[in-house]
Short mmCIF file of all heavy atoms in Angstrom, two decimals:
data_model
loop_
_atom_site.label_atom_id
_atom_site.label_comp_id
_atom_site.label_asym_id
_atom_site.label_seq_id
_atom_site.Cartn_x
_atom_site.Cartn_y
_atom_site.Cartn_z
N GLN A 52 -18.39 3.90 5.25
CA GLN A 52 -17.77 2.59 5.03
C GLN A 52 -17.70 1.80 6.33
O GLN A 52 -17.97 0.60 6.35
CB GLN A 52 -16.37 2.77 4.44
CG GLN A 52 -15.72 1.45 4.03
CD GLN A 52 -14.41 1.65 3.30
OE1 GLN A 52 -13.86 2.75 3.26
NE2 GLN A 52 -13.90 0.60 2.71
N ASP A 53 -17.36 2.46 7.41
CA ASP A 53 -17.25 1.79 8.71
C ASP A 53 -18.58 1.21 9.17
O ASP A 53 -18.62 0.22 9.90
CB ASP A 53 -16.72 2.75 9.78
CG ASP A 53 -15.25 3.09 9.58
OD1 ASP A 53 -14.58 2.38 8.80
OD2 ASP A 53 -14.79 4.07 10.18
N THR A 54 -19.67 1.81 8.73
CA THR A 54 -21.01 1.33 9.13
C THR A 54 -21.66 0.48 8.04
O THR A 54 -22.83 0.12 8.14
CB THR A 54 -21.93 2.51 9.49
OG1 THR A 54 -21.94 3.46 8.41
CG2 THR A 54 -21.45 3.20 10.76
N GLY A 55 -20.90 0.17 6.99
CA GLY A 55 -21.41 -0.73 5.96
C GLY A 55 -22.28 -0.09 4.89
O GLY A 55 -22.88 -0.79 4.08
N LEU A 56 -22.35 1.23 4.87
CA LEU A 56 -23.16 1.93 3.87
C LEU A 56 -22.28 2.22 2.65
O LEU A 56 -21.81 3.34 2.43
CB LEU A 56 -23.73 3.22 4.46
CG LEU A 56 -24.64 3.02 5.68
CD1 LEU A 56 -24.99 4.36 6.32
CD2 LEU A 56 -25.92 2.29 5.26
N MET A 57 -22.06 1.18 1.86
CA MET A 57 -21.04 1.24 0.82
C MET A 57 -21.42 2.15 -0.36
O MET A 57 -20.54 2.78 -0.95
CB MET A 57 -20.73 -0.17 0.31
CG MET A 57 -20.17 -1.09 1.39
SD MET A 57 -18.78 -0.36 2.31
CE MET A 57 -17.53 -0.31 1.03
N ILE A 58 -22.69 2.23 -0.70
CA ILE A 58 -23.09 3.12 -1.80
C ILE A 58 -22.83 4.57 -1.41
O ILE A 58 -22.28 5.36 -2.19
CB ILE A 58 -24.57 2.91 -2.16
CG1 ILE A 58 -24.77 1.51 -2.75
CG2 ILE A 58 -25.04 3.98 -3.15
CD1 ILE A 58 -26.21 1.16 -3.07
N SER A 59 -23.21 4.92 -0.18
CA SER A 59 -22.97 6.29 0.31
C SER A 59 -21.48 6.56 0.42
O SER A 59 -21.01 7.66 0.10
CB SER A 59 -23.65 6.49 1.67
OG SER A 59 -25.05 6.38 1.56
N ALA A 60 -20.72 5.55 0.88
CA ALA A 60 -19.27 5.71 1.00
C ALA A 60 -18.64 5.96 -0.37
O ALA A 60 -17.81 6.86 -0.53
CB ALA A 60 -18.66 4.46 1.64
N THR A 61 -19.07 5.18 -1.35
CA THR A 61 -18.53 5.31 -2.71
C THR A 61 -18.81 6.70 -3.27
O THR A 61 -17.94 7.33 -3.87
CB THR A 61 -19.14 4.23 -3.62
OG1 THR A 61 -18.78 2.94 -3.13
CG2 THR A 61 -18.65 4.38 -5.05
N THR A 62 -20.03 7.18 -3.06
CA THR A 62 -20.41 8.51 -3.56
C THR A 62 -19.55 9.60 -2.92
O THR A 62 -19.07 10.51 -3.61
CB THR A 62 -21.90 8.78 -3.27
OG1 THR A 62 -22.70 7.78 -3.91
CG2 THR A 62 -22.31 10.15 -3.77
N ALA A 63 -19.37 9.50 -1.61
CA ALA A 63 -18.59 10.52 -0.89
C ALA A 63 -17.12 10.47 -1.31
O ALA A 63 -16.50 11.52 -1.55
CB ALA A 63 -18.73 10.30 0.62
N TYR A 64 -16.57 9.26 -1.38
CA TYR A 64 -15.17 9.12 -1.79
C TYR A 64 -14.95 9.66 -3.20
O TYR A 64 -13.94 10.31 -3.48
CB TYR A 64 -14.74 7.65 -1.74
CG TYR A 64 -14.45 7.09 -0.37
CD1 TYR A 64 -14.72 5.76 -0.08
CD2 TYR A 64 -13.88 7.87 0.63
CE1 TYR A 64 -14.44 5.22 1.17
CE2 TYR A 64 -13.60 7.34 1.88
CZ TYR A 64 -13.89 6.01 2.15
OH TYR A 64 -13.60 5.48 3.38
N LYS A 65 -15.89 9.38 -4.10
CA LYS A 65 -15.74 9.81 -5.49
C LYS A 65 -15.73 11.33 -5.59
O LYS A 65 -14.91 11.91 -6.32
CB LYS A 65 -16.86 9.23 -6.36
CG LYS A 65 -16.63 9.48 -7.85
CD LYS A 65 -17.67 8.79 -8.70
CE LYS A 65 -17.31 8.87 -10.19
NZ LYS A 65 -16.93 10.24 -10.64
N LYS A 66 -16.60 11.98 -4.83
CA LYS A 66 -16.64 13.44 -4.87
C LYS A 66 -15.32 14.02 -4.36
O LYS A 66 -14.78 14.96 -4.94
CB LYS A 66 -17.81 13.96 -4.04
CG LYS A 66 -18.00 15.47 -4.17
CD LYS A 66 -19.30 15.93 -3.54
CE LYS A 66 -19.50 17.43 -3.77
NZ LYS A 66 -20.79 17.91 -3.20
N ALA A 67 -14.80 13.43 -3.29
CA ALA A 67 -13.53 13.90 -2.74
C ALA A 67 -12.38 13.64 -3.71
O ALA A 67 -11.54 14.51 -3.95
CB ALA A 67 -13.26 13.23 -1.40
#
Side-chain angles (χ1 to χ4, degrees):
Q52 187 173 11
D53 289 345
T54 53
L56 299 171
M57 299 309 292
I58 293 176
S59 296
T61 298
T62 300
Y64 283 147
K65 188 174 189 312
K66 186 170 184 178

